[in-house]
Amino acid sequence: MTKHRLSLATLAVAALLGAACSPVGQDGGGGTEDPRTGQARKGGDLVVALSEEPDRLDPSLARTFVGRIVFSSICEKLYDVDENLEVVPQLAADLPDVSDDGLTVRIPVREGITFNDGTNFDAEAVKRSLDRHREISGSARASEIAPIEEVRVVDDTTVEIGLSEPFAPLTAALADRAGMIMSPAQLDKLGENFADEPVCVGPFSFAERKAQDRIVVTKSEHYYDAGKVNLDRVVYRTIAEPNVRLSNLRSGDIHVAEDVAPTDVATIQNDANFQVVETTSIGYQGITVNIGNGDGVGPPFTKPGTPLASEEKLREAFELSLDRDALNKIVFDGRHTPGCTPLSPASPWAVEGFECTPHDVEAAKRLVRESGIPTPIPVELITANNAEEVRVGEVIQSMAKEAGFAVTVRPTEFAAALDEAEAGNFDTFRIGWSGRIDADQNVHQFQHSSGSLNWAGTNDADIDRLLDEARAAQSTEERKELYRQAVERASEVRGIIYLYHENLFLGAAQEIVGLEYFGDGLIRVTNAGFAAEQG
Amino acid sequence: MGRYLLRRAGASLVVLFLAAVVVFAGVRALPGDPALALAGEERDPESLAAIRAKYGLDEPILVQFWNWLTLALQGDFGESIRTGIDVTDILLSKLPITIELSVLSVLVAVVLGIPAGVLAAVKKDTWIDHTSSGIALFGLSIPNFWLGLMLILGLAIYFPIFPASGYVSPLEDPIGNLMRMVLPAFVLGTAFTAVVMRQMRSAMVESLTADYIRTARSKGLGEFTVVASHAMRNSLITVTTVVGLQLGALISGAVVTEQIFVIPGFGKLIVDAVFQRDFPVIQGAIIVTTAGYILVNFVVDIVYSLLNPRIRITGAAT
């Protein structure tokens, strides 16, 4: 049987089962070339398949992860990250200069560059965008940069930001959508409808959008580094179904497939025409345990009356019953990275040397016995209603059963599950976070008692204090130490039991070179292109 | 005829209004707050409140309904909560795509199903009849999802004849459009072909034993003329009903096929909108689908009279 036929048969079986195929994970002829190397020829249209429809392409209002992928080609930011996820200047000329009291941040901006409508980029434009991010009705950015009180233009190439309190995560926030600078001329023209035809500084310009079908961007003639841009166009198509994304990659209808399932990785690697680009996410996946969200997110924190909420030792027993490595192997072909903190090993903020609670069924049983609560102890686990998540739930169910927990898996449509989480109508919820650059953005809103995503209902004075101090501290080393302590305390409270960090996989045609894929999961296409020898 | 048309039009408006009420209440009965669904990972209370205020989700439901209805009557279905794009524009861009897919799949069903049904009836209880019925049963049973993926594997990947997915307008690229529509139309038409074939066969079997056929044969007409001009014409009335009903259903029922072949039509629109709790899009799409369904059935009634002059549309007709 030829390799092609093997793949065909594999996919056929997958289709029959209505699920992703899961061949033995061995590397084949493809998938070995580093996509960041190789000479690209000029020209060509790259078709990228996204796993869901981006929302509105307005940096102040946008909320979806896939939207960030599209923005990465059309809207540059004051700061970006490099492959080590360290913040580096993009539209800013240098890293910010922070005053001793931490209340004033001075940012030099680049000179001599233009927006994609040909208008001039300057400090005034930066102020206009930052003010819009903070003030526009329905802003998704306002909370990210809430401590900003005022943005002042010092001169054409310098802005000064006044803060209400020291706010160390600001630079990282400006390395995401809050740092995207929009063309003032286009804002004048379109106002709230900026998303209809967004114009920023970027290697590509927005060209057209067909709802639920495609977003097309074309090479910008105004881009300051246009010489490095190889592609003529990038077409972002929305293909929600993973099997369909994979078949479209194989048929050549698309060149890059976002969000390839771990169980599909071997299929792509076994075909010499394709490559897999992999990175470890800066996000996390875990189980949120309802310990104080009996009555909806936020104060007052009321215990929901479940055994897990009332007994800290039972939560420890529950975690002791979980085998993170086995879960990873059973559900994900061992392709993710087991972990037990909110800070991914891919992040510069990772807590080094942190010891996870080991898998120890006997210890778990002992704690259950000591609790005096009769077994089996009922636990309801909400998961998303897709095959992969249900499998995760079932594996957790079987592991916890050994220690005396009777886990009921409740697959729930995602929007409905969010409702339940907000209202506090759950025991445990299998959910994760896609991750942000700064540690604060991965911990504070989930673990701090005032956090808007504190679905667990965590209300711990130590955690609150440590996270507040970490926000205010200016030294990176000091902040790292505070996060280490906060993570240690959070691991005792167990409002969230962290399980693993996803490894993200892109499927790409072998002829594609220059793709940049870091732990933030964005697909950077500025330097991407078709390999010269194909040309 | 005029009175009949007026009555039908009036009844249609009532049905549409009821559909609007049901859809409006139905989407709000769904668990899942659209503000939460839209907020994505940025779910701070201020954002949620702003979203609810912007889309009037914090108003009493009757006020929301009145606001929506008065605008909808003017053809304004609001804007998508998810993308901010005008819903009417979205519907107008999707409708031709799904209509094209539906019409092509009906064409597949008619071209394959009618001859097969006629043949099975004429050769009743022979191996031809049994084979046709077997194929029809297979076509009816086979899941669109599976068939679609198999066709993509076979005819887009293994033998790359057709594109695996996507849509281009026939005005931009007629050949490209047709090439992209062949596989989805075939997939969508497969189950329908089976229905048409079975209906045609039943109707033909009945017609071929009717008195007027015996009369026609006794007059010395050739078998082909008897079958094609007499039996088939009468049998087509039944099939026309099925085609009409099915065409309406296809407009909303192409969901799976559109997902597999990534065709940005109505089915995909509705499914995505439901998952995203995009209320204005769901409401607009379902109202337009309902209107389409009513219209198709109306047209079917008129076609009845053209096929069989004995059926007269009168004020008393139904």
Side-chain angles (χ1 to χ4, degrees):
Chain A
M1 185 177 272
T2 65
K3 188 177 286 181
H4 213 141
R5 280 182 183 144
L6 175 67
S7 306
L8 180 70
T10 311
L11 265 180
V13 170
L16 269 171
L17 295 174
C21 41
S22 49
V24 177
Q26 75 180 52
D27 288 352
T32 54
E33 188 176 314
D34 184 345
R36 277 168 273 185
T37 63
Q39 286 293 314
R41 65 177 162 83
K42 292 289 178 191
D45 295 353
L46 184 76
V47 184
V48 178
L50 303 176
S51 57
E52 64 171 314
E53 164 93 349
D55 58 344
R56 57 185 70 204
L57 294 175
D58 180 325
S60 303
L61 303 174
R63 295 166 184 276
T64 56
F65 173 73
V66 285
R68 291 167 66 198
I69 294 177
V70 177
F71 279 131
S72 70
S73 65
I74 58 172
C75 278
E76 291 202 337
K77 306 157 286 189
L78 287 172
Y79 296 98
D80 196 11
V81 291
D82 63 15
E83 59 186 356
N84 299 315
L85 298 171
E86 299 284 358
V87 175
V88 292
Q90 192 170 50
L91 294 177
D94 203 348
L95 288 172
D97 186 15
V98 184
S99 64
D100 289 343
D101 60 4
L103 294 176
T104 306
V105 178
R106 195 170 263 234
I107 299 176
V109 302
R110 298 179 61 155
E111 313 179 52
I113 60 178
T114 54
F115 289 102
N116 283 338
D117 56 5
T119 58
N120 193 37
F121 169 86
D122 57 15
E124 196 64 55
V126 173
K127 173 181 163 55
R128 175 88 184 265
S129 281
L130 293 183
D131 284 345
R132 185 175 186 269
H133 291 324
R134 295 191 299 132
E135 292 162 3
I136 190 171
S137 169
S139 170
R141 305 285 83 79
S143 64
E144 297 169 4
I145 49 175
I148 295 183
E149 272 191 333
E150 188 189 2
V151 181
R152 298 179 284 271
V153 175
V154 178
D155 56 42
D156 277 356
T157 59
T158 313
V159 288
E160 194 172 82
I161 295 173
L163 300 173
S164 58
E165 57 187 339
F167 185 56
L170 178 66
T171 316
L174 297 178
D176 200 341
R177 288 160 293 190
M180 288 178 189
I181 309 302
M182 299 162 273
S183 158
Q186 194 70 354
L187 286 174
D188 288 340
K189 188 173 149 193
L190 297 179
E192 280 198 5
N193 299 321
F194 181 79
D196 291 350
E197 201 180 339
V199 175
C200 305
V201 177
F204 295 90
S205 302
F206 173 87
E208 66 163 332
R209 175 174 194 164
K210 289 186 177 168
Q212 273 151 340
D213 183 23
R214 63 186 57 214
I215 293 168
V216 181
V217 301
T218 54
K219 182 177 177 176
S220 167
E221 55 194 61
H222 299 287
Y223 187 53
Y224 57 86
D225 221 354
K228 287 189 178 170
V229 181
N230 300 308
L231 297 163
D232 291 332
R233 298 197 315 163
V234 182
V235 180
Y236 295 97
R237 289 180 58 190
T238 303
I239 305 183
E241 176 59 44
N243 280 331
V244 178
R245 275 203 301 283
L246 195 58
S247 56
N248 275 263
L249 180 67
R250 293 167 61 81
S251 70
D253 287 70
I254 61 171
H255 303 108
V256 178
E258 186 232 350
D259 194 18
V260 170
T263 44
D264 285 338
V265 168
T267 306
I268 300 175
Q269 286 178 328
N270 284 337
D271 193 325
N273 295 315
F274 304 101
Q275 58 185 319
V276 173
V277 191
E278 178 179 357
T279 187
T280 301
S281 163
I282 49 174
Y284 64 79
Q285 298 296 320
I287 302 170
T288 297
V289 183
N290 187 346
I291 58 173
N293 178 12
D295 208 16
V297 170
F301 297 97
T302 50
K303 287 190 185 296
T306 58
L308 282 187
S310 52
E311 292 282 340
E312 201 169 304
K313 288 290 177 191
L314 275 187
R315 297 200 291 278
E316 186 180 353
F318 190 77
E319 185 176 5
L320 281 163
S321 74
L322 303 178
D323 184 341
R324 293 179 170 84
D325 287 325
L327 173 73
N328 183 32
K329 282 177 187 148
I330 294 168
V331 186
F332 305 112
D333 272 4
R335 293 189 185 276
H336 287 330
T337 305
C340 53
T341 81
L343 302 170
S344 162
S347 163
W349 297 95
V351 181
E352 286 174 18
F354 189 84
E355 294 284 339
C356 291
T357 302
H359 173 228
D360 188 340
V361 177
E362 290 311 313
K365 282 180 179 171
R366 191 174 61 249
L367 288 174
V368 168
R369 270 197 308 274
E370 286 169 12
S371 76
I373 295 176
T375 56
I377 298 165
V379 176
E380 189 180 69
L381 175 66
I382 294 182
T383 70
N385 61 345
N386 60 60
E388 191 176 78
E389 278 300 312
V390 172
R391 282 179 74 193
V392 170
E394 288 169 350
V395 171
I396 290 170
Q397 182 183 52
S398 75
M399 288 174 174
K401 187 180 176 185
E402 289 186 61
F405 294 96
V407 176
T408 309
V409 180
R410 178 151 68 97
T412 305
E413 194 265 329
F414 193 62
L418 292 180
D419 254 12
E420 301 281 48
E422 282 284 316
N425 296 328
F426 70 103
D427 290 0
T428 58
F429 183 15
R430 231 303 298 140
I431 190 168
W433 173 244
S434 67
R436 297 290 184 273
I437 302 303
D438 193 274
D440 177 84
Q441 299 159 309
N442 300 315
V443 188
H444 190 282
Q445 52 194 333
F446 304 95
Q447 297 283 0
H448 196 284
S449 61
S450 68
S452 58
L453 299 177
N454 179 17
W455 285 327
T458 303
N459 181 24
D460 184 89
D462 287 337
I463 294 178
D464 284 0
R465 177 183 53 78
L466 290 163
L467 293 179
D468 288 341
E469 285 176 15
R471 268 194 172 180
Q474 294 300 317
S475 142
T476 302
E477 287 312 309
E478 189 186 350
R479 293 188 71 209
K480 275 190 173 179
E481 173 55 25
L482 288 164
Y483 284 119
R484 188 188 63 74
Q485 293 177 31
V487 165
E488 274 182 6
R489 178 63 192 137
S491 74
E492 292 162 4
V493 174
R494 293 187 175 82
I496 300 174
I497 297 173
Y498 301 96
L499 294 175
Y500 60 92
H501 307 280
E502 287 181 305
N503 280 19
L504 308 173
F505 302 98
L506 278 187
Q510 195 63 262
E511 62 183 328
I512 305 301
V513 295
L515 279 178
E516 289 182 301
Y517 196 44
F518 307 151
D520 59 4
L522 306 187
I523 306 168
R524 291 169 169 82
V525 295
T526 304
N527 303 319
F530 292 85
E533 57 270 25
Q534 302 290 322
Chain B
M1 184 80 174
R3 273 182 63 198
Y4 172 76
L5 288 178
L6 274 176
R7 275 183 56 175
R8 283 299 300 264
S12 300
L13 285 177
V14 172
V15 170
L16 264 181
F17 178 76
L18 291 176
V21 172
V22 169
V23 169
F24 196 87
V27 293
R28 276 154 185 79
L30 285 173
D33 179 348
L36 267 179
L38 174 68
E41 290 189 326
E42 282 83 24
R43 301 182 195 108
D44 56 284
E46 294 78 19
S47 284
L48 294 175
I51 292 169
R52 291 190 185 110
K54 182 172 172 64
Y55 293 102
L57 299 167
D58 51 357
E59 303 260 25
I61 191 164
L62 285 178
V63 175
Q64 289 184 44
F65 181 65
W66 176 251
N67 291 343
W68 174 73
L69 189 68
T70 47
L71 287 172
L73 286 173
Q74 300 163 49
D76 179 357
F77 291 103
E79 67 175 42
S80 161
I81 292 180
R82 171 85 168 187
T83 61
I85 300 173
D86 192 87
V87 174
T88 309
D89 288 348
I90 295 176
L91 298 179
L92 288 175
S93 68
K94 305 290 179 191
L95 200 55
I97 299 171
T98 296
I99 287 177
E100 183 189 355
L101 178 60
S102 301
V103 168
L104 285 175
S105 65
V106 166
L107 205 63
V108 168
V110 167
V111 167
L112 298 178
I114 288 181
V118 171
L119 201 61
V122 172
K123 303 287 181 187
K124 185 168 170 278
D125 293 332
T126 66
W127 67 270
I128 294 176
D129 183 20
H130 297 317
T131 308
S132 303
S133 299
I135 293 172
L137 189 65
F138 183 69
L140 204 56
S141 315
I142 198 166
N144 279 3
F145 185 77
W146 184 86
L147 181 63
L149 281 178
M150 288 304 102
L151 287 175
I152 289 173
L153 283 170
L155 298 175
I157 296 175
Y158 198 48
F159 298 107
I161 301 167
F162 299 102
S165 69
Y167 178 82
V168 288
S169 162
L171 302 175
E172 286 173 27
D173 180 4
I175 303 293
N177 171 270
L178 204 59
M179 292 296 277
R180 281 172 170 79
M181 280 296 185
V182 169
L183 296 184
F186 183 77
V187 168
L188 196 57
T190 305
F192 189 27
T193 302
V195 175
V196 169
M197 183 265 162
R198 295 298 300 165
Q199 289 291 340
M200 193 68 199
R201 182 190 173 279
S202 303
M204 280 293 288
V205 166
E206 200 180 322
S207 295
L208 286 169
T209 55
D211 290 346
Y212 69 91
I213 295 293
R214 201 180 314 119
T215 307
R217 282 185 175 132
S218 65
K219 280 163 64 182
L221 291 177
E223 189 61 16
F224 181 80
T225 312
V226 170
V227 171
S229 303
H230 294 269
M232 228 178 99
R233 184 165 178 178
N234 276 294
S235 306
L236 277 175
I237 292 170
T238 315
V239 175
T240 305
T241 311
V242 176
V243 169
L245 288 171
Q246 197 73 23
L247 187 60
L250 284 175
I251 291 173
S252 58
V255 174
V256 175
T257 309
E258 288 182 0
Q259 291 278 6
I260 296 169
F261 292 98
V262 201
I263 294 171
F266 244 64
K268 191 170 182 297
L269 178 76
I270 293 173
V271 169
D272 290 350
V274 168
F275 282 128
Q276 294 156 3
R277 300 294 189 273
D278 201 337
F279 287 178
V281 174
I282 304 173
Q283 289 159 189
I286 293 182
I287 288 299
V288 170
T289 307
T290 309
Y293 207 89
I294 292 169
L295 186 68
V296 167
N297 279 288
F298 191 46
V299 172
V300 166
D301 282 353
I302 294 171
V303 173
Y304 275 169
S305 68
L306 301 177
L307 282 171
N308 189 343
R310 283 182 302 168
I311 299 173
R312 294 290 175 209
I313 294 174
T314 66
T318 56

